[in-house]
Amino acid sequence: MRVLVVEDHDKMRDVLQRGLTEAGYAVDAVGDGVAAVSHAASRTYDAIVLDVMLPGMDGVEVCRTLRDRGVWTPVIMLTARDSITDRVRGLDHGADDYLVKPFAFTELLGRLRALLRRGGSPRPAVLRCGPLSLDPATRMVECRGEPVELSARELALLEFLLRNPERVLSRAVLVEHVWGLDYDGASNVVDVYVKYLRDKIDRRFDVDLLRTVRGAGYRLACADPGR
C-alpha cells in the first residue's frame, strides 16, 4: 500500500514516514501543498495523510483542489485545531477522516486500515433535476449552466429534495431530515426556505421545479419541469 504524507515540520514528517514504513507502507513525503497536489495528481496512492497547517496552500485547499481535479484518494487530515468548525470545513472539502494532534501513532494506523478497507472514495454522483444540478462533492449548484448561490440550510434542503425526486415530502419529514428531530424553531420554517429556493431557482430561471402539493407538502418535479 502506498501512502503520501504531507507535513511541513521536518521532524514530524520524518516520524510519520519512518513509522508508516515500519508498518509496511510504501511512503512518499512532501512538505508543502503545491508538492502534495503535484504528487497526488500524477501518482497513484492508496491514502493521503495531510496536515492542515501548511505554508501557502493549506491542507483544506489541497484537498479541495484534488477533488476538483478528480483525485478521490482517501484523505486523513491532521491538525492541531480541534474545533467542530475546523473539522467540518475539512470534511466538506473532501476529507474522509480527521485526526487531532497530538495523537497516538497506533490510532493513525487504525484509521488508515479502516480507510483502506473501504477502498477508494468514488466521486459522488451529481444530482440532477431538469436544468438543475447539485454536485455533492463540491457543493456547487447550477441551473441552466449558471451558478446558484445558496446558504448552507438552503443547500441541505435542496439536496434532500434532489435525493427524493417526484416524491411528495411532508413538512414534518423535511424538518426531520434538514433541521433535525430536536428542532423547535418557527413552525413555518419549511415554507420560508422553499420560498428562498423558488426565488433563487424557479423565478430566476423561469422553471417550475418546486411544486406545492396542497395538504401534503412539497414535490420536486423533474419529469415535467414546466414553463
Side-chain angles (χ1 to χ4, degrees), residues 22-56:
E22 291 174 354
Y25 294 96
V27 182
D28 293 338
V30 297
D32 63 79
V34 173
V37 170
S38 176
H39 275 65
S42 61
R43 300 167 176 82
T44 300
Y45 292 99
D46 297 288
I48 299 172
V49 178
L50 176 63
D51 187 40
V52 171
M53 300 297 289
L54 296 171

Side-chain angles (χ1 to χ4, degrees), residues 6-220:
V6 188
E7 168 63 62
D8 65 317
H9 293 290
D10 294 343
K11 184 175 181 180
M12 184 64 173
R13 185 170 65 249
D14 291 343
V15 167
L16 291 171
Q17 185 170 17
R18 184 170 60 253
L20 290 170
T21 299
E22 291 174 354
Y25 294 96
V27 182
D28 293 338
V30 297
D32 63 79
V34 173
V37 170
S38 176
H39 275 65
S42 61
R43 300 167 176 82
T44 300
Y45 292 99
D46 297 288
I48 299 172
V49 178
L50 176 63
D51 187 40
V52 171
M53 300 297 289
L54 296 171
M57 180 184 292
D58 69 13
V60 173
E61 182 66 14
V62 169
C63 194
R64 186 195 65 76
T65 300
L66 291 176
R67 298 322 189 208
D68 286 348
R69 295 186 181 185
V71 178
W72 294 93
T73 307
V75 171
I76 297 179
M77 281 192 168
L78 308 179
T79 183
R81 298 174 175 174
D82 62 354
S83 75
I84 292 176
T85 300
D86 289 321
R87 292 199 296 271
V88 169
R89 179 170 172 254
L91 294 169
D92 278 348
H93 283 80
D96 297 272
D97 201 355
Y98 218 100
L99 194 54
V100 177
K101 298 176 180 178
F103 55 85
F105 191 75
T106 52
E107 183 178 3
L108 172 61
L109 291 177
R111 291 181 183 238
L112 269 176
R113 288 193 296 269
L115 280 184
L116 294 171
R117 281 196 300 271
R118 298 206 301 262
S121 302
R123 181 183 180 85
V126 175
L127 304 173
R128 300 186 186 278
C129 177
L132 177 68
S133 68
L134 186 159
D135 187 339
T138 62
R139 317 299 287 167
M140 295 295 295
V141 178
E142 291 185 348
C143 191
R144 301 198 191 283
E146 295 186 31
V148 180
E149 297 294 330
L150 300 179
S151 70
R153 193 69 69 181
E154 291 165 355
L155 190 67
L157 176 58
L158 179 61
E159 181 171 352
F160 186 67
L161 289 164
L162 281 165
R163 292 188 183 279
N164 296 273
E166 305 297 341
R167 177 183 167 192
V168 177
L169 299 167
S170 69
R171 289 170 178 80
V173 166
L174 291 169
V175 167
E176 177 183 344
H177 285 271
V178 178
W179 283 266
L181 287 170
D182 296 329
Y183 177 76
D184 60 357
S187 60
N188 67 334
V189 65
V190 172
D191 303 318
V192 170
Y193 274 82
V194 166
K195 180 183 182 301
Y196 293 159
L197 291 180
R198 282 177 169 155
D199 288 342
K200 293 183 177 183
I201 298 171
D202 285 19
R203 295 184 179 90
R204 176 184 169 189
F205 296 98
D206 193 29
V207 293
D208 185 21
L209 300 176
L210 281 157
R211 309 279 181 88
T212 301
V213 180
R214 193 173 299 278
Y218 294 99
R219 174 174 69 92
L220 194 63

